Amino acid sequence: MGKEVKLLGAWFSPYSYRVIWALKLKGIPFEYVEEDVFNKSCMLLHYNPVHKKIPVLVHGGKPINESMIIIEYLDETWPHHPLLPSHPYERALARFWVKFIEVKGSSMWKILPSGGEEQEKAVKGTLEMLKTIEEEAMGLIGENKYFGGENIGIVDIAFGPLAHWLGMIEKTVGIEVFDPHKFPKLQVWIQNFKQDPVICENLPAEEDMFICFKRYRERMLASASP
C-alpha cells in the first residue's frame, strides 16, 4: 500500500474529480498527471489501451481504469475512512445507485453537444433521471446529510457531477433543466455536498468550465452541420 499512487486525469472531467475526492477523503497521497484528451500521451495509451480514456489510477505501476471501479479498489486497498457501507444489503443498494447514475447519467451529457429534437430527448431523459433520484434515491438519506450517512460515501461521489457539471451544461446551452423547487431533496443534498471542504476545494472554476464547454459545444454543432 505504500507504493506510489499516480492519477492520470483532466481538469474538466467529473470522472477525474470523483477519484480525486475519494483519494483526498481517504487521505491517500498521490501524484496528479494532467492529460490532454485531444492529444493523448504515450503513458495514457500504455496504461489504458482498451478505452484510451481518463481517469487512470496507477498503483505500484499497475493501472486501474473507470472512476467507480477505481474507487472500489481504493476502498479495498485502503480500508480506513470507508466509502462503501459495511452491511451487505446497504452495499448492494449503493452499487445499484452507482450503476443507475452510470447508465442514466449519459442523458445529461448529450444535452451539451446537441440541438433540436436530439437535445429535447436528452433533456427529457435527464429530467426522468432527476425525478427517480428525488423520489427513490433520496429516501436512503433520511435525516443524514449524505448517502454515506454523516460522511460522504460512494453514492455521493457517483452523483457528484449533478452538483456542479449539470449547472455548467445549463449555463452553456442556455436552458434550465434542474429546478430546485421540483427537486427539493436533491437540492439540499447538492448544497451539503458542495459545502464539504474536500469537495468545494476540489472543483473546476466555473468560468474556465464555461469557456471549455462553449468551445466544445460549438465544435460539435459545427461538425454536425451538413
Side-chain angles (χ1 to χ4, degrees):
M1 289 188 292
K3 297 175 183 177
E4 180 187 41
V5 177
K6 185 179 297 185
L7 175 63
L8 282 61
W11 70 269
F12 56 83
S13 166
Y15 308 108
S16 296
Y17 280 93
R18 281 174 170 176
V19 182
I20 290 171
W21 298 333
L23 287 163
K24 288 184 173 290
L25 286 166
K26 294 179 79 66
I28 302 169
F30 67 100
E31 175 190 352
Y32 177 76
V33 179
E34 178 71 20
E35 282 284 339
D36 181 351
V37 297
F38 301 108
N39 185 24
K40 297 170 183 178
S41 71
C42 294
M43 184 188 303
L44 175 59
L45 297 177
H46 170 71
Y47 283 129
N48 191 358
V50 176
H51 296 301
K52 303 177 177 62
K53 294 180 179 179
I54 51 90
V56 178
L57 185 87
V58 184
H59 181 211
K62 296 180 179 179
I64 303 96
N65 304 309
E66 304 292 334
S67 61
M68 301 314 298
I69 293 174
I70 292 171
I71 290 169
E72 288 217 30
Y73 174 84
L74 294 175
D75 224 32
E76 292 173 2
T77 308
W78 287 270
H80 63 280
H81 303 300
L83 299 172
L84 271 160
S86 58
H87 191 280
Y89 179 71
E90 293 177 356
R91 194 158 59 243
L93 279 180
R95 286 181 171 136
F96 172 86
W97 287 109
V98 167
K99 180 67 173 179
F100 174 86
I101 198 67
E102 292 293 86
V103 174
K104 299 297 184 180
S106 62
S107 61
M108 180 177 99
W109 298 105
K110 292 175 183 176
I111 297 172
L112 187 60
S114 62
E117 291 183 7
E118 187 179 348
Q119 186 180 93
E120 290 177 9
K121 183 179 178 181
V123 169
K124 181 181 178 182
T126 303
L127 287 170
E128 288 173 355
M129 172 191 68
L130 293 172
K131 185 172 184 289
T132 299
I133 292 172
E134 177 74 16
E135 294 179 355
E136 304 297 336
M138 298 310 299
L140 300 177
I141 291 181
E143 299 299 319
N144 297 318
K145 290 177 67 176
Y146 308 112
F147 290 97
E150 290 305 303
N151 298 305
I152 289 173
I154 194 168
V155 177
D156 301 287
I157 292 173
F159 283 11
L162 297 176
H164 191 69
W165 283 261
L166 178 55
M168 295 312 303
I169 292 172
E170 291 177 307
K171 182 178 179 181
T172 304
V173 177
I175 60 174
E176 182 183 69
V177 180
F178 182 86
D179 181 346
H181 298 291
K182 292 182 179 178
F183 308 106
K185 297 175 186 175
L186 188 51
Q187 172 66 8
V188 170
W189 171 82
I190 287 173
Q191 292 173 337
N192 288 334
F193 184 73
K194 293 185 76 171
Q195 286 172 1
D196 184 273
V198 167
I199 306 303
C200 70
E201 292 169 11
N202 293 279
L203 287 172
E206 291 190 3
E207 184 177 346
D208 294 339
M209 286 290 297
F210 177 70
I211 294 170
C212 176
F213 277 12
K214 188 171 183 291
R215 288 175 179 169
Y216 172 73
R217 175 172 168 79
E218 289 172 351
R219 184 166 60 248
M220 294 301 293
L221 290 176
S223 65
S225 299

